[in-house]
Amino acid sequence: MKMDLKPRFDFALTLVQEAGALALGYFNDLESLTVQSKGLQDMASEADLNTELRIKARLAEAFPEDAFFGEETGAMAIVPGQGVWVVDPIDGTQPFLSGLSSWCVSIAFVLDGVLQFGTVFAPVRGELFAGGRGFPATLNGKPVKRHPGRSLREGLVATGYSPRVSGAQFLGPFTGLLEQGGMFFRDGSGALNLAYVAAGRFLGYMEPHINSWDCLGAIAVIEAAGLRVNDFLVGEGLHKGGPIVAGVPEVFPELMRLNGFQAER
Ligand code: IPD
Ligand code: CA
Ligand code: CA
């Protein structure tokens, strides 16, 4: 039987805002958080875990037949035909812990290896991005408008970095970007900066390695907006992550080339 996505999409819209409110409570009382290092430049606090646990519990209650995959608690086994919720409870943990506003909650839904919908909520900035297959790309309920730029000279390309790749691997594409008159932007949340591509604030986004929980929520919105993204879920994208390139159709092929992908039309 075909799965009805609409109740799930509607539930995700409410849930991402509930989770955002919970995380915002921690953000407003940062001094009392216990921060732990998960690795180099990779921090987390009880805000990350507790927000994920809330999302997981709500989903288990509402859709017990679905699987769950979150950054903090990991992946459940997924059987064929079963949907999986892919969740980053706080994307932009370093901005969050630094008292900066560039962080968000990201929730995506994947069925049979295909991204169905996603939503990204930035509580401090009061912005909710959503979209998917059969669901329009919206920002706070209004249709998004693409970036008007047609070349790299006409806007910003956002990026992200984690020590999962070397510095050289990260820097490689930037020579070409700058030589073509482009400009980079980073404020520490891949999910949010990808959502900004959908919302017309950036020409594109590129990062040599990102995890599925970081990006799937926003990729769904980018795709719903009719913009381009590399085939992130191909191979082991869901469980191991991979490179991400997204953008308006006119600059996307060049961003792909700069990032070492074979020419794509
Ligand atoms: C990170 C952020 C960052 C991106 C990294 C992610 P986190 O997620 O999205 O912008 O460059 O690849 O790991 O640790 O803030 O949840
Ligand atoms: Ca993340
Ligand atoms: Ca996170």
Side-chain angles (χ1 to χ4, degrees), residues 38 48 71-72 88-93 213-214:
K38 297 199 290 180
D48 300 75
E71 172 170 16
E72 306 301 330
D88 193 342
I90 297 178
D91 185 70
T93 294
W213 54 77
D214 302 308

Short mmCIF file of all heavy atoms in Angstrom, two decimals, residues 38 48 71-72 88-93 213-214, ligand 3:
data_model
loop_
_atom_site.label_atom_id
_atom_site.label_comp_id
_atom_site.label_asym_id
_atom_site.label_seq_id
_atom_site.Cartn_x
_atom_site.Cartn_y
_atom_site.Cartn_z
N LYS A 38 33.16 15.77 21.16
CA LYS A 38 32.99 14.45 20.51
C LYS A 38 34.18 14.19 19.60
O LYS A 38 34.31 13.14 19.00
CB LYS A 38 31.70 14.43 19.68
CG LYS A 38 30.44 14.60 20.51
CD LYS A 38 29.19 14.12 19.76
CE LYS A 38 28.82 15.02 18.60
NZ LYS A 38 27.62 14.55 17.89
N ASP A 48 21.72 19.01 22.54
CA ASP A 48 21.66 18.18 21.32
C ASP A 48 20.93 16.86 21.62
O ASP A 48 20.00 16.49 20.90
CB ASP A 48 23.09 17.88 20.83
CG ASP A 48 23.87 19.15 20.51
OD1 ASP A 48 24.32 19.84 21.44
OD2 ASP A 48 24.02 19.47 19.32
N GLU A 71 21.62 12.15 14.52
CA GLU A 71 23.05 12.34 14.74
C GLU A 71 23.49 11.84 16.10
O GLU A 71 24.54 11.22 16.24
CB GLU A 71 23.44 13.82 14.61
CG GLU A 71 24.89 14.02 15.02
CD GLU A 71 25.49 15.36 14.73
OE1 GLU A 71 24.74 16.31 14.46
OE2 GLU A 71 26.73 15.44 14.76
N GLU A 72 22.68 12.09 17.12
CA GLU A 72 23.12 11.79 18.48
C GLU A 72 22.85 10.35 18.91
O GLU A 72 23.57 9.82 19.76
CB GLU A 72 22.46 12.76 19.48
CG GLU A 72 22.66 14.23 19.14
CD GLU A 72 24.14 14.64 19.09
OE1 GLU A 72 24.96 14.03 19.81
OE2 GLU A 72 24.47 15.57 18.33
N ASP A 88 18.79 15.97 12.50
CA ASP A 88 19.86 16.65 13.23
C ASP A 88 19.19 17.58 14.23
O ASP A 88 18.54 18.56 13.84
CB ASP A 88 20.77 17.44 12.27
CG ASP A 88 22.05 17.88 12.97
OD1 ASP A 88 22.08 17.88 14.21
OD2 ASP A 88 23.03 18.21 12.26
N PRO A 89 19.30 17.29 15.54
CA PRO A 89 18.55 18.07 16.52
C PRO A 89 19.04 19.52 16.60
O PRO A 89 18.24 20.43 16.80
CB PRO A 89 18.80 17.34 17.83
CG PRO A 89 20.10 16.61 17.63
CD PRO A 89 20.11 16.23 16.17
N ILE A 90 20.35 19.70 16.47
CA ILE A 90 20.91 21.05 16.39
C ILE A 90 22.00 21.01 15.34
O ILE A 90 23.03 20.36 15.52
CB ILE A 90 21.50 21.53 17.73
CG1 ILE A 90 20.41 21.61 18.81
CG2 ILE A 90 22.17 22.91 17.55
CD1 ILE A 90 20.91 22.02 20.19
N ASP A 91 21.76 21.66 14.22
CA ASP A 91 22.82 21.80 13.23
C ASP A 91 23.38 23.22 13.39
O ASP A 91 22.63 24.19 13.41
CB ASP A 91 22.32 21.61 11.80
CG ASP A 91 23.49 21.65 10.85
OD1 ASP A 91 24.29 20.69 10.87
OD2 ASP A 91 23.65 22.65 10.12
N GLY A 92 24.72 23.25 13.51
CA GLY A 92 25.34 24.53 13.86
C GLY A 92 25.61 24.55 15.36
O GLY A 92 25.38 25.55 16.03
N THR A 93 26.10 23.41 15.86
CA THR A 93 26.35 23.32 17.30
C THR A 93 27.38 24.35 17.75
O THR A 93 27.23 24.93 18.83
CB THR A 93 26.81 21.89 17.66
OG1 THR A 93 25.71 21.03 17.41
CG2 THR A 93 27.17 21.77 19.11
N TRP A 213 22.25 13.63 8.03
CA TRP A 213 21.38 14.36 8.95
C TRP A 213 21.58 15.88 8.82
O TRP A 213 20.69 16.65 9.14
CB TRP A 213 21.59 13.89 10.40
CG TRP A 213 23.02 13.95 10.86
CD1 TRP A 213 23.71 15.07 11.23
CD2 TRP A 213 23.92 12.85 10.99
NE1 TRP A 213 24.99 14.73 11.59
CE2 TRP A 213 25.15 13.38 11.47
CE3 TRP A 213 23.82 11.46 10.78
CZ2 TRP A 213 26.27 12.58 11.71
CZ3 TRP A 213 24.93 10.67 11.03
CH2 TRP A 213 26.14 11.22 11.47
N ASP A 214 22.78 16.30 8.39
CA ASP A 214 23.03 17.73 8.22
C ASP A 214 22.26 18.32 7.03
O ASP A 214 21.91 19.49 7.05
CB ASP A 214 24.52 18.00 7.90
CG ASP A 214 25.48 17.49 8.94
OD1 ASP A 214 25.29 17.80 10.12
OD2 ASP A 214 26.44 16.78 8.57
CA CA B 3 24.19 18.37 15.15
#
